[in-house]
Amino acid sequence: MMRRRLFLFLCVLVIGLTGQAQTQSIRNEATNNLYKMLKQMVDDRKIMFGMANPTTIGYASGPLNSDYQSSDCKDITGDHPGFHESDFMWYEENPDFRKTDVEAMRAAWNRGAVIGYCWHLAGPRSKAFYAANEGKRSEDYDLASEIVSNPDRTKNQSLDWYLTRFDELAIPVFKELGCPIVFRPFHEMTGDWFWWGKQIGAEVYIKLYRLTVDYLRSQGVDNLLYCWSPDKFVDFSFYPGDEYIDILGLDIYEPGLTEFYPKEKLIENLTIICDYVAAHDKVAVWSEVGCRPTDDGVSRYPEQYPDFWTTYVFDILRDNPEAGRIAWVESWYNADWKNDFSSSPYIPYKGMKKKKGKKAIRDFIKMYKYPYTLFESNIKSYKRKFNL
């Protein structure tokens, strides 16, 4: 009996160690260290300010600019955002920009930032990432179902197209950069505007997400942390599973500024995410935020809400700590796409002359000076501590 018990104990021990080794082998040491660092930031009640392409897309400097040492954020505060997220979409549309943007991401990491990628992946037929076009289903409306329908890429044209996009575009960048990267594919799946949205159903979405992660791992990509980010409301029926997700986020625009999504809903949904990651050893983030114009084109920022970044974002996180256990808050692109200063910005920029622009600048600087916000230069000490 004792021998049998000892044998069973050793079997369980070996299985446990094997499983642990397999889990650890998914990420390299540096990426594991970044994961630990993000958790430490949350424990310290520090929150990074992040932006989409802060150094290569700027309101003042123009969209897709090549001066990646400057940013609208730095022009106002003297420092870059702490989290930089780019989008493989830009590399598809402008191959010449790829070199500049990859250099910008490498420079950001070396200066102290945490970096990541999302992907507004355009379908092969519609050449767009939306599920509908002018009220009609796009040619790629069923693309997700096609991709997961047959695991043999030699027989599944849609799967082969999809994996080839990774072979030619994403994987080379992940390997070229080499440093730890947050990858946020198939975001806002709880909305119906992307071809990977809720209209495809949770089962297909989960298969698509898992297929993607499994393929990247099979190709030796071990420097990624995977982020899952629904739109506004948490729906765990679309959750791919803990073995596929490291970071859980929410994309929430106009927080507390609409009847549809009052402040109470913001706090409730962020708290759900934060409670989940606390129980499952994950990291929570506010993966996109901004104050966009109204549907009829009235600019909300800075004209209506010059205090957006304090009153409607970071003050809420401070005053509701159950919802503020997050690693970063990310602003969307700050770009004047028409180059005529008509677009609505997401953060202030140098020389801003819009109505209440000066108030917005003062508010943004106030947020920058909060003791719990982190920008690029603030993260260096964390990186040293975690050998990054």
Side-chain angles (χ1 to χ4, degrees):
M1 181 64 73
M2 288 296 294
R3 288 182 178 179
R4 178 177 173 80
R5 288 180 178 175
L6 179 60
F7 174 76
L8 291 173
F9 171 77
L10 290 174
C11 287
V12 171
L13 180 62
V14 170
I15 291 172
L17 290 175
T18 302
Q20 184 181 38
Q22 289 174 344
T23 300
Q24 290 177 344
S25 67
I26 291 171
R27 298 190 297 261
N28 62 30
E29 182 179 0
T31 308
N32 273 325
N33 288 345
L34 175 62
Y35 201 27
K36 294 174 184 177
M37 187 188 89
L38 294 174
K39 293 175 183 176
Q40 185 63 58
M41 287 179 174
V42 175
D43 289 343
D44 293 344
R45 292 290 181 168
K46 303 290 187 181
I47 303 174
M48 288 187 287
F49 175 77
M51 280 198 73
N53 288 97
T55 62
T56 49
I57 297 178
Y59 198 97
S61 55
L64 304 180
N65 74 89
S66 59
D67 179 15
Y68 56 81
Q69 298 299 331
S70 63
S71 68
D72 289 340
C73 180
K74 186 176 181 180
D75 286 344
I76 298 297
T77 66
D79 203 352
H80 294 297
F83 177 69
H84 297 222
E85 184 183 67
S86 190
D87 192 328
F88 288 118
M89 169 181 68
W90 304 124
Y91 301 177
E92 292 185 291
E93 295 180 352
N94 189 343
D96 292 337
F97 182 68
R98 176 194 181 281
K99 182 177 184 296
T100 295
D101 197 63
V102 170
E103 289 177 356
M105 295 295 273
R106 180 182 291 108
W109 172 264
N110 290 336
R111 288 193 307 260
V114 177
I115 66 171
Y117 278 87
C118 66
W119 199 349
H120 287 82
L121 178 56
R125 296 175 289 259
S126 65
K127 308 302 179 184
F129 43 79
Y130 290 115
N133 181 20
E134 296 183 352
K136 298 180 180 180
R137 290 185 177 188
S138 81
E139 299 93 324
D140 294 306
Y141 188 86
D142 296 317
L143 179 58
S145 297
E146 294 170 6
I147 291 171
V148 303
S149 64
N150 185 336
D152 186 349
R153 68 186 297 180
T154 65
K155 299 179 179 179
N156 185 342
Q157 187 176 6
S158 294
L159 174 63
D160 185 59
W161 166 84
Y162 179 66
L163 297 182
T164 299
R165 302 312 298 132
F166 277 90
D167 294 338
E168 296 178 348
L169 196 63
I171 292 176
V173 171
F174 292 146
K175 292 187 175 183
E176 179 181 347
L177 285 170
C179 62
I181 296 168
V182 177
F183 184 39
R184 189 170 65 99
F186 306 122
H187 62 298
E188 299 177 8
M189 82 299 301
T190 48
D192 60 1
W193 39 88
F194 298 136
W195 58 259
W196 58 84
K198 66 180 182 180
Q199 71 278 358
I200 70 175
E203 182 179 357
V204 171
Y205 177 85
I206 290 172
K207 286 181 180 179
L208 180 64
Y209 202 109
R210 290 179 176 179
L211 179 156
T212 303
V213 175
D214 287 339
Y215 184 72
L216 288 168
R217 289 170 175 170
S218 74
Q219 298 305 301
V221 180
D222 60 359
N223 59 324
L224 301 183
L225 296 176
Y226 294 93
C227 179
W228 177 75
S229 60
D231 180 69
K232 298 183 186 70
F233 298 98
V234 183
D235 185 351
F236 280 107
S237 67
F238 286 86
Y239 186 60
D242 283 355
E243 65 272 33
Y244 289 91
I245 301 298
D246 306 296
I247 299 167
L248 287 78
L250 279 172
D251 291 9
I252 306 170
Y253 287 80
E254 295 79 56
L257 299 180
T258 64
E259 293 183 6
F260 172 71
Y261 204 81
K263 184 172 72 172
E264 292 74 21
K265 286 294 182 184
L266 166 70
I267 296 168
E268 175 188 350
N269 281 274
L270 282 176
T271 300
I272 291 171
I273 289 286
C274 291
D275 285 346
Y276 185 90
V277 303
H280 292 254
D281 196 30
K282 303 294 180 182
V283 175
V285 300
W286 189 342
S287 38
E288 288 184 30
V289 66
C291 189
R292 301 167 298 186
T294 61
D295 291 339
D296 56 0
V298 176
S299 181
R300 290 187 174 103
Y301 183 80
E303 287 84 349
Q304 294 182 353
Y305 303 102
D307 58 340
F308 175 75
W309 286 105
T310 57
T311 304
Y312 299 95
V313 180
F314 283 94
D315 288 359
I316 293 176
L317 299 176
R318 177 198 62 200
D319 297 339
N320 298 275
E322 72 278 11
R325 295 166 289 169
I326 61 178
W328 68 77
V329 171
E330 179 187 335
S331 167
W332 205 229
Y333 306 113
N334 206 46
D336 178 32
W337 298 111
K338 296 180 180 179
N339 288 313
D340 61 1
F341 294 94
S342 63
S343 304
S344 182
Y346 283 93
I347 71 167
Y349 54 91
K350 187 177 180 181
M352 188 175 187
K353 295 181 180 179
K354 290 182 177 289
K355 183 180 180 181
K356 296 188 179 179
K358 291 183 179 179
K359 288 185 178 180
I361 290 173
R362 290 195 296 269
D363 179 76
F364 195 78
I365 293 173
K366 179 181 177 182
M367 179 271 288
Y368 165 75
K369 292 181 177 179
Y370 280 172
Y372 53 90
T373 55
L374 296 176
F375 287 71
E376 204 175 74
S377 63
N378 305 127
I379 306 172
K380 291 180 180 179
S381 59
Y382 275 100
K383 281 192 169 182
R384 285 194 295 267
K385 181 178 179 181
F386 289 88
N387 298 315
L388 290 169

